[in-house]
Amino acid sequence: MSARFKELLISPSGCVNTSMEDGNFIVDNGVITLKSDPGFYPGIYSMKVNGREWLANSYPELTAKSWWNPWAGGMKTVPNGINTFSLLKENSDAEVVELTDSEGNKWTGLAITTEFKEHKQWKDVQYTQYYLTLPGVPVVASFAEVKDPGGKNLADENWITDMFVGSELTDVQISVSDSQQGHAYQAGSEEIGLLLDEDSYFSSHSCDDKFYMVPNNDAYPTDAYTNKEVLQIVSRHKGDFEKSAPLFMLFDERRLTGDLLKKLRRVQF
């Protein structure tokens, strides 16, 4: 593995297995298993780490949750203003891909492409979401690529990545550093809105892994929102790109600092 990861003590080993089952695309790198069914929803609905599910979802049926109706859960990246109802009117498909990063490492994962035909403002725009892993490494990289702008000026548009964490909601804690003092908030107990700093992470009462999200280089500060039904994480970034910078999701038992995690951002696709 390149020097970029040395401080994190990450080294790939083994292989990434991909398969299809009942319309599901499955990517398993030996530590993390991702699942997507583009017929259900254009995103990933499952992210298991060492067998523990981190994403909340309604698969295989859409449902209502809090003020979302319909609600699918999982993780996705969409243009600002595109709600679930609009997104489900469009055609999406997925494929397994291999991409090489700026350091020469080969990542394997899913490319989920959506082509807008129905939405008036986004008609003829085609974009792809990527969810990529390395063999044996507890990291997922995700970014978006505009395949065809359809004549639309995207320079001032915002794109939103959101995910719903906690298949067992009250099992999750949100840890935020605030002026050198750490605060832990219980998900699913009351309505709380938080601005996540670089040292923030999510933890579980049922496993030792901590979940770190490293937003992309162009992102605004990350939001977290929880009530008694959901825990949603939202990252926003500007849309003036053909391919956005990647965001990273890292799982580790260690307490890692934001300064260390930011080194992942040097890796580009």
Side-chain angles (χ1 to χ4, degrees), residues 131-197:
Y131 300 90
L132 306 173
T133 66
L134 291 164
V137 174
V139 174
V140 177
S142 182
F143 59 93
E145 181 177 17
V146 176
K147 297 285 192 175
D148 185 347
K152 183 176 176 64
N153 180 6
L154 301 175
D156 294 322
E157 299 291 345
N158 283 326
W159 290 68
I160 294 176
T161 299
D162 76 335
M163 70 181 80
F164 290 88
V165 175
S167 57
E168 298 292 336
L169 191 57
T170 54
D171 185 49
V172 179
Q173 277 194 330
I174 311 151
S175 294
V176 180
S177 294
D178 184 10
S179 303
Q180 307 304 312
Q181 275 193 311
H183 297 280
Y185 300 90
Q186 180 70 50
S189 59
E190 59 182 318
E191 188 172 33
I192 306 169
L194 296 168
L195 203 60
L196 302 183
D197 54 44

Side-chain angles (χ1 to χ4, degrees), residues 42-92:
I44 58 171
Y45 71 83
S46 175
M47 180 168 58
K48 286 187 176 179
V49 182
N50 295 315
R52 193 240 188 243
E53 178 65 71
W54 279 90
L55 294 182
N57 66 76
S58 68
Y59 188 80
E61 301 291 337
L62 295 164
T63 186
K65 178 82 75 170
S66 195
W67 56 68
W68 291 272
N69 189 9
W71 182 80
M75 176 180 178
K76 67 183 184 300
T77 295
V78 295
N80 187 37
I82 301 293
N83 60 26
T84 303
F85 186 73
S86 298
L87 199 56
L88 290 171
K89 288 183 177 180
E90 311 296 347
N91 183 57
S92 299

Side-chain angles (χ1 to χ4, degrees), residues 1 14 20 86 107-108 136 140 150 177 179 184 195 197 216 220 247 255 257:
M1 172 49 88
M20 276 202 71
S86 298
W107 298 66
T108 302
V140 177
S177 294
S179 303
L195 203 60
D197 54 44
N216 80 34
Y220 301 106
L247 67 83
R255 178 70 186 91
T257 66

